[in-house]
Amino acid sequence: MKKTIQTQWCLVALTLLVSVAGAILRGRQLLYELRPDGSLAAGSSMHIVLTILSGVWLAGAIALLLPLVKKTQWSECFRSSVVPNLLQLVAAGVLVLGNILLWIEGRQPATAFATQSPAVSKALAAMLPPLGILSAVCIGAYAIFCLRGKRPSPLLYMIASIYLVVRLIVCFQEWNIDPSVHDYAFQLLAAICCMLAAFQLAGFSFDRGKRRMTLFWSLSAVVFCSFTVADTLIGGVAHEALINFGLLLSLGVSSGQLLFTK
């Protein structure tokens, strides 16, 4: 038992350390080492440091997650505790606000240079804000069910998964126009991890959850969403900052619940 608790707190410490360090280093890279066209300035080194830091996170997370006991049932992991579920409601509110701002500002669909189906791209871009609001409502509803001690419907996180799939497609079409992977690499990793984490979380409502796998994707989403805090703040895009923070908070809370189970 004592060894398990030590492993859990080591994983928390590793996540916080890599998240904070990654956010600071990514900010430095954006400010001093990336030219406006996305190319690296002479003498740049942050891309190497960030790659090593990401590798340390992945290796450390796998090593610390393997000893954890497997758990599959919703009742084993998601309790009616007030604080985590209130934080999920806060995360849902932030996601709603971010998607409302996105809806008001509008999102330009990807050009024909980025996609062979401009009509589909336009439809997906138009769907994204309302789908994001619906997804946030589902996350909030999940938290309310948990507060009441009732098993939530798996449909709630399945809808969140669909939103994150659409978000990944729309965002990747935008990023793909940029020839430099240094501009969007960590945003892409964050989007993929968020999508897979939401998909895995839905499994607990079927009592077929995978604790270690879900924790890996959820904590990875927290880490890479932290890296992209610099992108959203320095880029000055309010709706992206809010959406990124909402996802980070929601998956961070879910990670805590899965890590410190009964």
Side-chain angles (χ1 to χ4, degrees), residues 42-227:
S44 297
S45 60
M46 281 302 106
H47 62 291
I48 298 173
V49 177
L50 285 166
T51 301
I52 293 172
L53 187 63
S54 300
V56 168
W57 156 251
L58 293 173
I62 291 170
L64 291 169
L65 285 169
L66 284 175
L68 293 182
V69 176
K70 293 181 180 180
K71 295 191 177 182
T72 61
Q73 297 184 358
W74 172 82
S75 59
E76 292 179 306
C77 303
F78 297 94
R79 302 184 293 276
S80 57
S81 305
V82 174
V83 174
N85 290 302
L86 285 180
L87 288 174
Q88 287 285 16
L89 290 172
V90 171
V94 172
L95 279 171
V96 167
L97 182 56
N99 280 284
I100 288 174
L101 285 178
L102 175 59
W103 207 342
I104 293 171
E105 294 173 11
R107 187 168 210 137
Q108 294 298 319
T111 65
F113 294 104
T115 176
Q116 295 180 347
S117 305
V120 174
S121 177
K122 185 177 180 180
L124 290 175
M127 285 170 53
L128 190 59
L131 192 56
I133 293 170
L134 177 60
S135 173
V137 170
C138 289
I139 291 172
Y142 194 99
I144 291 171
F145 272 102
C146 290
L147 275 171
R148 294 178 176 177
K150 297 181 179 178
R151 183 196 305 270
S153 168
L155 184 63
L156 297 174
Y157 262 106
M158 289 171 68
I159 291 173
S161 299
I162 293 170
Y163 160 65
L164 292 167
V165 170
V166 174
R167 173 175 160 79
L168 175 60
I169 293 170
V170 172
C171 289
F172 185 72
Q173 287 179 338
E174 294 176 358
W175 299 329
N176 203 34
I177 299 170
D178 194 326
S180 175
V181 72
H182 298 290
D183 279 340
Y184 63 85
F186 294 109
Q187 289 172 291
L188 176 60
L189 287 171
I192 292 171
C193 291
C194 287
M195 176 189 69
L196 292 172
F199 176 78
Q200 293 291 337
L201 283 166
F204 285 93
S205 293
F206 291 110
D207 282 343
R208 293 182 180 274
K210 298 178 180 179
R211 183 191 184 201
R212 292 181 295 190
M213 181 69 73
T214 308
L215 268 170
F216 176 78
W217 291 119
S218 298
L219 290 172
S220 294
V222 169
V223 167
F224 292 119
C225 280
S226 297
F227 280 31

Side-chain angles (χ1 to χ4, degrees), residues 8-9 11-12 15 76-79 84 88 201 211 214-215 218-219 222 248-262:
Q8 291 168 324
W9 283 109
L11 188 55
V12 170
T15 304
E76 292 179 306
C77 303
F78 297 94
R79 302 184 293 276
Q88 287 285 16
L201 283 166
R211 183 191 184 201
T214 308
L215 268 170
S218 298
L219 290 172
V222 169
L248 192 160
L249 179 58
S250 178
L251 292 173
V253 171
S254 295
S255 299
Q257 291 174 299
L258 284 167
L259 189 56
F260 297 98
T261 58
K262 295 178 180 179

